[in-house]
Amino acid sequence: MIRRLIPLVCAATLAAPIASAADEVVVYSARNEHLIKPLFDHYTAKTGTAITYITDKEGPLLQRLKAEGARTPADMLITVDAGNLWYAAESGVLAAIDSPVLNANVPANLRDPQGRWYGLSERARTIVYSTERVKPEELSSYEDLADPKWKGRLCLRTSKKVYNQSLVATLIARLGEDQAEQIVRGWVDNLAAAPFSNDTKAMEAVAAGQCDVTVVNTYYFGRLQKKQPDVKLAIFWPNQDSSGVHINVSGAGVTQHAKHPEAAQKLLEWLSSAEAQGDFAALNLEFPVNPTVAPDPAVAAWGTFKADALNVNEAGRLQADAIRLMDRAGYR
Ligand code: FE
């Protein structure tokens, strides 16, 4: 196993020893090393199961899994966004598993209805606004950001990012293509600047006065808040009288050609457990999916909100439609 794995990972990160013990798990992860290594170390110390992992961007990891086919050393894929998890499942690289433990620990709307992937952390894609130029009473919903009152006041991340594709996919699921397109066109009309390459830059533009409001994943707001505790930005939870805040997940599945499927399933079950969920979420300032586990105090301080109950799988199913819609609407 190790002889075959090493040449493949020369450009990536290989860590943790491979034990000669019976149990080992090989993980391909699009979630960064610093977010997974503490959990893997904990699991290895507890169980003796050796975990070998590589990290890379979600696209290359999935291409590699597909190219390796039955020869893949990977037992588990960890990636971010339901759109990517859906695509991996549709590509046939994930095995359907039926686990009472996972079904109990992960709410039904945060996992694949066919059991090919399970959400492990929840993130909210929400509105962040300037506390100097916006009163929270002026805000209400994602749809309202298309209103002309926000003309020249909105900043957005690029539509190329799966996070925005998933957000628009859920607008389509909820409102239909025509209404969703009108909203996206309204957003484009209201932009104060060309779309930004990441969420942090969009928030920095709001803080700098280039625009007044943006839409980001909460953990990026948390990171900015840790770096600049006095930043004049705040979170607003939209759609509280309607669909709820758009949520998404990072998650994982056991691969179709896993060499250690039982060990991989046990690791996945543990990652969803009360013992692991606090750290799994807190390391990236996300929300645990396991409802018995409280979020990190810094996350809890943002307050509670009503989340969209739509199965996040819909974000994947409608992803291609969302990409075409954003293109038509001129959202770059
Ligand atoms: Fe992210």
Coordinates of all heavy atoms in Angstrom, one line a residue, residues 1 4-5 8-9 26-28 54 60-77 92-95 254-261:
M1 N 0.8 -1.2 0.0 CA 0.0 0.0 0.0 C 0.9 1.3 0.0 O 0.7 2.1 -0.8 CB -0.9 0.0 1.2 CG -1.7 1.3 1.4 SD -2.9 1.5 0.0 CE -4.0 0.2 0.2
R4 N 2.7 2.1 -3.2 CA 1.9 2.6 -4.3 C 1.5 4.0 -4.0 O 1.3 4.8 -4.9 CB 0.7 1.7 -4.5 CG 0.0 2.0 -5.8 CD -1.0 0.9 -6.2 NE -2.2 1.1 -5.5 CZ -3.0 0.1 -5.1 NH1 -2.7 -1.1 -5.3 NH2 -4.1 0.4 -4.5
L5 N 1.3 4.3 -2.8 CA 0.7 5.6 -2.4 C 1.8 6.7 -2.6 O 1.5 7.8 -3.1 CB 0.2 5.6 -1.0 CG -0.6 6.9 -0.6 CD1 -1.8 7.0 -1.5 CD2 -1.0 6.7 0.9
L8 N 2.3 8.8 -5.8 CA 1.1 9.5 -6.2 C 1.0 10.8 -5.4 O 0.3 11.8 -5.9 CB -0.2 8.7 -5.9 CG -0.4 7.5 -6.8 CD1 -1.5 6.6 -6.2 CD2 -0.7 7.9 -8.2
V9 N 1.6 10.9 -4.3 CA 1.3 12.1 -3.4 C 2.5 13.0 -3.3 O 2.5 13.9 -2.5 CB 0.9 11.6 -2.0 CG1 -0.4 10.9 -2.0 CG2 2.0 10.8 -1.3
V26 N -7.2 5.3 4.5 CA -6.6 6.2 3.6 C -7.6 7.3 3.2 O -8.7 6.9 2.7 CB -6.0 5.6 2.4 CG1 -5.3 6.6 1.5 CG2 -4.9 4.5 2.8
V27 N -7.3 8.5 3.5 CA -8.3 9.6 3.3 C -7.8 10.6 2.2 O -6.6 11.0 2.3 CB -8.6 10.4 4.6 CG1 -9.6 11.5 4.4 CG2 -9.1 9.4 5.7
Y28 N -8.6 11.0 1.3 CA -8.4 12.1 0.4 C -9.2 13.2 0.9 O -10.4 13.1 1.0 CB -8.8 11.8 -1.1 CG -7.9 10.9 -1.9 CD1 -6.8 10.2 -1.3 CD2 -8.2 10.6 -3.2 CE1 -6.0 9.4 -2.0 CE2 -7.3 9.8 -4.0 CZ -6.3 9.2 -3.4 OH -5.5 8.4 -4.1
I54 N -4.1 12.6 2.2 CA -3.5 13.7 1.4 C -4.6 14.8 1.3 O -5.8 14.5 1.4 CB -3.2 13.2 -0.1 CG1 -4.4 12.6 -0.8 CG2 -2.1 12.1 0.0 CD1 -4.2 12.4 -2.2
P60 N -9.1 18.5 -8.3 CA -8.1 17.5 -8.6 C -8.3 16.2 -7.8 O -8.0 15.1 -8.3 CB -6.8 18.2 -8.1 CG -7.1 19.7 -8.3 CD -8.6 19.8 -8.0
L61 N -8.7 16.3 -6.6 CA -8.9 15.1 -5.8 C -10.0 14.2 -6.4 O -9.8 12.9 -6.5 CB -9.4 15.4 -4.4 CG -8.4 15.7 -3.3 CD1 -9.0 15.8 -1.9 CD2 -7.3 14.6 -3.3
L62 N -11.1 14.8 -6.9 CA -12.1 14.0 -7.5 C -11.6 13.4 -8.8 O -11.9 12.2 -9.1 CB -13.4 14.8 -7.7 CG -14.6 14.1 -8.3 CD1 -15.0 12.9 -7.5 CD2 -15.7 15.0 -8.5
Q63 N -10.9 14.2 -9.6 CA -10.4 13.7 -10.9 C -9.5 12.5 -10.6 O -9.5 11.5 -11.4 CB -9.5 14.8 -11.6 CG -10.4 15.9 -12.3 CD -11.5 15.3 -13.1 OE1 -11.4 14.4 -13.9 NE2 -12.7 15.8 -12.9
R64 N -8.7 12.6 -9.6 CA -7.7 11.5 -9.2 C -8.5 10.3 -8.8 O -8.1 9.2 -9.3 CB -6.9 12.0 -8.1 CG -5.8 11.0 -7.7 CD -4.8 11.8 -6.9 NE -4.1 10.8 -6.1 CZ -3.1 11.2 -5.3 NH1 -2.8 12.4 -5.2 NH2 -2.5 10.3 -4.5
L65 N -9.5 10.4 -8.0 CA -10.3 9.3 -7.6 C -10.9 8.6 -8.8 O -10.9 7.3 -8.9 CB -11.5 9.7 -6.7 CG -11.3 9.6 -5.2 CD1 -12.5 10.1 -4.5 CD2 -11.1 8.1 -4.8
K66 N -11.4 9.4 -9.8 CA -12.0 8.8 -11.0 C -11.0 8.1 -11.8 O -11.2 7.0 -12.3 CB -12.7 9.9 -11.8 CG -14.1 10.3 -11.2 CD -14.5 11.7 -11.6 CE -15.0 11.8 -13.0 NZ -15.6 13.1 -13.3
A67 N -9.8 8.8 -12.0 CA -8.8 8.2 -12.8 C -8.2 6.9 -12.2 O -7.9 5.9 -12.9 CB -7.6 9.2 -13.0
E68 N -8.1 6.8 -10.9 CA -7.6 5.6 -10.2 C -8.6 4.5 -10.3 O -8.2 3.3 -10.3 CB -7.2 6.0 -8.8 CG -6.0 6.8 -8.7 CD -5.8 7.4 -7.2 OE1 -6.7 7.2 -6.4 OE2 -4.7 7.9 -7.0
G69 N -9.9 4.8 -10.3 CA -10.9 3.8 -10.4 C -10.7 2.7 -9.3 O -10.5 3.0 -8.1
A70 N -10.8 1.4 -9.7 CA -10.7 0.3 -8.7 C -9.4 0.3 -8.0 O -9.2 -0.4 -7.0 CB -11.1 -1.0 -9.4
R71 N -8.3 0.9 -8.6 CA -7.0 0.8 -8.0 C -6.7 1.9 -6.9 O -5.7 1.9 -6.3 CB -5.9 1.0 -9.1 CG -5.9 -0.1 -10.2 CD -5.0 0.3 -11.3 NE -5.5 1.5 -12.0 CZ -4.9 2.7 -12.0 NH1 -3.8 2.9 -11.3 NH2 -5.4 3.7 -12.6
T72 N -7.7 2.7 -6.7 CA -7.5 3.8 -5.7 C -7.1 3.3 -4.4 O -7.7 2.3 -3.9 CB -8.7 4.8 -5.6 OG1 -8.3 5.9 -4.8 CG2 -9.9 4.1 -5.0
P73 N -6.1 3.9 -3.7 CA -5.9 3.6 -2.3 C -6.8 4.3 -1.3 O -6.9 3.9 -0.1 CB -4.4 4.1 -2.1 CG -4.3 5.2 -3.0 CD -5.2 4.9 -4.2
A74 N -7.7 5.2 -1.8 CA -8.5 6.0 -0.9 C -9.7 5.2 -0.4 O -10.4 4.6 -1.2 CB -9.0 7.3 -1.7
D75 N -9.9 5.3 0.9 CA -11.0 4.7 1.5 C -12.1 5.7 1.8 O -13.3 5.4 2.0 CB -10.6 4.1 2.9 CG -9.6 3.0 2.7 OD1 -9.8 2.1 1.9 OD2 -8.5 3.1 3.4
M76 N -11.7 7.0 1.9 CA -12.7 8.0 2.3 C -12.4 9.3 1.5 O -11.2 9.6 1.3 CB -12.6 8.3 3.8 CG -13.6 9.4 4.3 SD -13.3 9.8 6.1 CE -14.1 8.3 6.8
L77 N -13.4 10.0 1.1 CA -13.3 11.4 0.5 C -13.9 12.4 1.5 O -15.1 12.2 1.9 CB -13.9 11.4 -0.8 CG -14.0 12.8 -1.5 CD1 -12.6 13.2 -1.9 CD2 -14.9 12.8 -2.7
G92 N -19.9 8.4 -9.2 CA -19.8 7.0 -8.9 C -18.6 6.6 -8.0 O -18.3 5.4 -7.9
V93 N -18.0 7.6 -7.4 CA -16.8 7.3 -6.6 C -17.1 7.0 -5.1 O -16.2 6.6 -4.4 CB -15.7 8.3 -6.7 CG1 -15.2 8.6 -8.1 CG2 -16.2 9.7 -6.1
L94 N -18.4 7.2 -4.7 CA -18.7 7.0 -3.3 C -19.7 5.8 -3.2 O -20.6 5.6 -4.0 CB -19.4 8.2 -2.7 CG -18.5 9.5 -2.7 CD1 -19.3 10.7 -2.2 CD2 -17.2 9.3 -2.0
A95 N -19.5 5.0 -2.1 CA -20.4 3.8 -1.9 C -21.5 4.2 -1.0 O -21.4 5.1 -0.1 CB -19.5 2.8 -1.2
V254 N -17.5 7.1 2.2 CA -16.6 6.0 2.0 C -16.6 5.7 0.5 O -17.6 5.8 -0.2 CB -17.2 4.7 2.7 CG1 -16.3 3.5 2.4 CG2 -17.2 5.0 4.2
T255 N -15.4 5.5 -0.1 CA -15.2 5.4 -1.5 C -15.8 4.0 -2.0 O -15.8 3.0 -1.3 CB -13.8 5.5 -2.0 OG1 -13.0 4.4 -1.4 CG2 -13.2 6.8 -1.5
Q256 N -16.1 4.0 -3.3 CA -16.7 2.8 -3.9 C -15.7 1.7 -3.9 O -16.1 0.5 -3.8 CB -17.0 3.2 -5.4 CG -17.8 2.1 -6.1 CD -19.2 1.9 -5.6 OE1 -19.9 2.8 -5.4 NE2 -19.5 0.6 -5.3
H257 N -14.4 2.0 -4.0 CA -13.4 0.9 -4.1 C -12.5 0.9 -2.9 O -11.3 0.6 -3.0 CB -12.5 1.2 -5.4 CG -13.4 1.1 -6.7 ND1 -13.9 -0.1 -7.1 CD2 -13.8 2.0 -7.5 CE1 -14.6 0.1 -8.2 NE2 -14.5 1.4 -8.5
A258 N -13.1 1.3 -1.7 CA -12.3 1.3 -0.5 C -11.7 -0.1 -0.2 O -12.3 -1.1 -0.4 CB -13.2 1.7 0.7
K259 N -10.4 -0.1 0.2 CA -9.7 -1.3 0.6 C -10.0 -1.6 2.1 O -9.8 -2.8 2.5 CB -8.2 -1.2 0.4 CG -7.8 -0.8 -1.1 CD -8.4 -1.7 -2.1 CE -8.0 -1.3 -3.5 NZ -8.8 -0.1 -4.0
H260 N -10.4 -0.6 2.8 CA -10.8 -0.8 4.3 C -12.1 -0.2 4.5 O -12.2 0.8 5.3 CB -9.7 -0.1 5.1 CG -8.3 -0.4 4.7 ND1 -7.5 0.4 3.9 CD2 -7.5 -1.5 4.9 CE1 -6.4 -0.1 3.7 NE2 -6.3 -1.2 4.3
P261 N -13.2 -0.7 3.9 CA -14.5 0.0 4.0 C -15.0 0.0 5.5 O -15.6 1.0 5.9 CB -15.4 -0.8 3.1 CG -14.7 -2.1 2.8 CD -13.2 -1.9 3.0

